[in-house]
Amino acid sequence: MPDWLATLLITLLKGVLVALALLTTFAYMTLIERRLLARMQIRHGPNRVGPGGLLQPLADAVKSIFKEDLRVTLADKLVYTVAPIVAIGMALTAFGGIPAGPAGSLFGEDPWVYQLDAGILALLAITSMGVYGIFLGGWASGSKYPILGGLRSSAQMISYELGMGLSILGLLMLVGSTAFPNIVEWQAANGWMILFQSLGFALFLVSSFAETNRTPFDLPEAEQELVAGYLTEYSAIKWALFQMAEYVNMITASAIMATLFFGGYRGPVFLEGLIPGISGWPIIWLVVKIAFFLFLFIWVRATLPRFRYDQLMRFGWKLLLPLALANTMLTAAYLAFARDLGLWPLAGLSLLGLLALFALSDRVRGLWNKPTGRRGADDTLPARPLGGD
Amino acid sequence: MLVIALGIGVLAVLVSALLGPKKASRAKLMAYESGNDPEHGGVGTGQRFPVHFYLVAMLFIVFDIETAFFFPLAVAYQKLVPFAFWEALTFVALLLVGYYYILKKGVLEWT
């Protein structure tokens, strides 16, 4: 067998494995989310189908395959069908670049499907392609609510994409590379990035909640406000594909946060004293960290109410964007003038910024919480959420 | 990976199209409008949108290009200090002028 054929086959195999793993995780994420939400509201989740509800995702999948696939008369035939495929395609593709271990640690193969020098950039680019899926899906549905939901969601996603891109600039300055393995190795040598970029991490966390359309930013599918947003006219497997894309994006976002800020596939070094080599255990650490972030996603969903649309946009543009820029310039200034002091003062500085943000939260809340524009007779009325006609 | 991912999507849609029942009726194929005949729906019926969405899209393009300029600078930063810092500061300052302008113009207000 020629060399390139073997490489191709192995890559294909890894790709299929990753895709199947993601889909299984998605299926069980839905179950776990329902169970956890239930526990947080002092009730039981689904526990009838199979032992402990373990077969519930399977039942859901079978149901959505056997459902009638309707397409409303006014819908655009081609785009309506392609949009969910684009959404799931981009979501699954994005995950392939995340390293699950050092090179050659997966039975002699590299534990990633593809690896680019511009790793983060490629990943950001691919995830932002997901906007197309959502917006085109909303547009092609040929109905009023999906169009509004799609518009709102695309505006939200592109706004928070800025915050996302800007909040990792400080990290890139420290590491000096955009390839994931380099970032992980840098953290293995210098300590987890969360220590030095806590403000950047907070911004990235918020942006990734908004990017994946999770509460408190899940306006595109705000059931109580816009029917189901871009999903309104979708049924059967196409609806399931959109849901899948959302959850897979969530998993990817968790993996990115774990990789960029929490040492990726490396465990904490201080555990080495207990069991030598524990921090290098393949994949396990990455899975643990992803699981932690997924839990965080669910926890936040059970805790926080939704933003109003104008608040959401103000939050993104007036708080997230300037703060991300400030974080970048802070890191830049530190690296330019105080690099000899080592990294730890930077950690203190970043943490101080985060704490100041918390301390001033009552002051800065005015940035997004109350309309500062028109003052007049309609002040007593609740502000009309945007998106109506 | 892209091929596999798209393949999974196509496969799912095809399987569902083959297996699902097909009993469409006029009422089923109507767009959602709480049981009424839909108005202002449909692709290309000329529904109008608030100009805010256009503005946000334009601002996104501007600021995203700014981010795109920042990435190479960030990667090469440690080799270029302290000159790169002043360069970045100038760039950000120019950008902030524009940001201040849109802030005062009320572009970011969604009321």
Side-chain angles (χ1 to χ4, degrees), chain A residues 16-39:
Chain A
V16 171
L17 275 182
V18 167
L20 289 184
L22 278 176
L23 293 184
T24 320
T25 320
F26 147 73
Y28 279 93
M29 263 301 288
T30 55
L31 175 68
I32 292 168
E33 173 163 28
R34 290 172 68 185
R35 297 280 304 207
L36 276 177
L37 282 179
R39 296 316 301 174

Side-chain angles (χ1 to χ4, degrees), chain A residues 12 15-16 18-19 23 64-76 81 85-86 88-90 92-93 96 113-114 121 124 139-140 142-145 147-148 151-152 155 158-159 161-162 165-166 168-169 172-174 176-178 227 232-233 236-238 241 309-310 313-314 317-318 321-322 325 328-329 332-333 335-337 339 371-374 384 386-389, chain B residues 1-17 19-26 28-34 38-45 47-50 52-53 55-67 70-90 92 95-96 99 102-103 108-111:
Chain A
L12 276 180
V16 171
V18 167
L23 293 184
S64 64
I65 286 179
F66 281 95
K67 267 189 82 157
E68 182 174 7
D69 197 1
L70 282 174
R71 190 183 63 226
V72 298
T73 349
L74 288 170
D76 187 287
T81 316
I85 298 176
V86 170
I88 185 69
M90 292 309 154
L92 286 178
T93 309
V113 183
Y114 61 88
L121 297 185
L124 285 179
W139 173 80
S143 172
K144 187 155 52 177
Y145 301 99
I147 294 183
L148 289 175
L151 256 184
R152 278 165 49 142
I158 61 174
S159 298
E161 215 176 286
L162 284 179
L166 283 172
I168 57 169
L169 282 176
L172 293 182
M173 280 177 181
L174 285 173
S177 166
T178 44
V227 196
T232 309
E233 300 296 353
I237 199 75
K238 288 176 188 149
L241 285 180
Y309 195 69
D310 57 330
M313 294 308 271
R314 267 195 234 119
W317 283 96
K318 285 191 169 177
L321 188 73
L325 263 181
T328 308
M329 292 318 288
L335 282 178
F337 301 114
R339 193 154 42 146
T372 48
R374 278 180 299 146
R384 186 168 61 97
L386 198 105
D389 48 1
Chain B
M1 190 72 216
L2 187 63
V3 176
I4 295 165
L6 290 178
I8 285 176
V10 173
L11 195 71
V13 170
L14 280 184
V15 167
S16 171
L19 293 181
K22 291 175 200 65
K23 286 188 214 112
S25 69
R26 190 186 160 274
K28 261 191 197 172
L29 293 182
M30 246 162 53
Y32 173 81
E33 187 75 48
S34 301
E39 50 175 321
H40 288 314
V43 174
T45 47
Q47 196 186 359
R48 291 161 47 140
F49 302 107
H52 275 302
F53 290 114
L55 289 175
V56 163
M58 277 194 277
L59 291 182
F60 166 72
I61 291 173
V62 172
F63 280 87
D64 208 38
I65 289 174
E66 184 251 333
T67 322
F70 239 121
F71 275 117
L73 182 70
V75 172
Y77 188 74
Q78 300 220 17
K79 300 186 193 91
L80 300 175
V81 288
F83 166 68
F85 174 72
W86 297 114
E87 206 177 42
L89 195 67
T90 320
V92 169
L95 203 83
L96 283 182
Y99 182 76
I102 57 169
L103 203 66
L108 305 179
E109 299 300 328
W110 290 69
T111 41

Side-chain angles (χ1 to χ4, degrees), chain A residues 147-361:
Chain A
I147 294 183
L148 289 175
L151 256 184
R152 278 165 49 142
S153 104
S154 50
Q156 162 187 344
M157 284 170 90
I158 61 174
S159 298
Y160 282 82
E161 215 176 286
L162 284 179
M164 212 170 192
L166 283 172
S167 58
I168 57 169
L169 282 176
L171 176 150
L172 293 182
M173 280 177 181
L174 285 173
V175 180
S177 166
T178 44
F180 284 118
N182 295 353
I183 294 173
V184 175
E185 290 311 322
W186 187 92
Q187 293 181 78
N190 296 301
W192 286 4
M193 192 56 90
I194 173 79
L195 298 170
F196 312 114
Q197 287 286 317
S198 42
L199 186 57
F201 170 70
L203 299 174
F204 192 85
L205 184 74
V206 174
S207 313
S208 52
F209 271 80
E211 276 290 288
T212 50
N213 293 333
R214 295 290 295 182
T215 10
F217 303 105
D218 59 344
L219 296 209
E221 45 207 75
E223 298 90 358
Q224 301 90 334
E225 299 168 21
L226 257 187
V227 196
Y230 62 95
L231 289 171
T232 309
E233 300 296 353
Y234 278 96
S235 63
I237 199 75
K238 288 176 188 149
W239 180 86
L241 285 180
F242 273 122
Q243 288 301 100
M244 237 184 248
E246 181 188 325
Y247 278 83
V248 171
N249 276 333
M250 228 161 86
I251 300 168
T252 311
S254 307
I256 300 173
M257 285 190 280
T259 305
L260 293 188
F261 293 97
F262 284 82
Y265 49 77
R266 295 263 184 178
V269 181
F270 63 84
L271 288 181
E272 291 276 342
L274 299 175
I275 309 169
I278 188 175
S279 75
W281 283 3
I283 304 186
I284 292 175
W285 282 110
L286 188 67
V287 171
V288 167
K289 288 166 191 171
I290 290 178
F292 168 74
F293 280 112
L294 289 178
F295 177 74
L296 189 70
F297 272 102
I298 297 170
W299 190 11
V300 167
R301 176 172 174 187
T303 311
L304 293 179
R306 190 179 285 142
F307 273 83
R308 217 170 50 209
Y309 195 69
D310 57 330
Q311 293 172 334
L312 170 98
M313 294 308 271
R314 267 195 234 119
F315 186 81
W317 283 96
K318 285 191 169 177
L319 188 77
L320 218 59
L321 188 73
L323 267 184
L325 263 181
N327 179 51
T328 308
M329 292 318 288
L330 183 81
T331 315
Y334 189 85
L335 282 178
F337 301 114
R339 193 154 42 146
D340 302 335
L341 298 177
L343 285 167
W344 293 103
L346 180 64
L349 222 57
S350 191
L351 193 64
L352 213 64
L354 193 60
L355 290 180
L357 193 64
F358 280 125
L360 292 174
S361 60

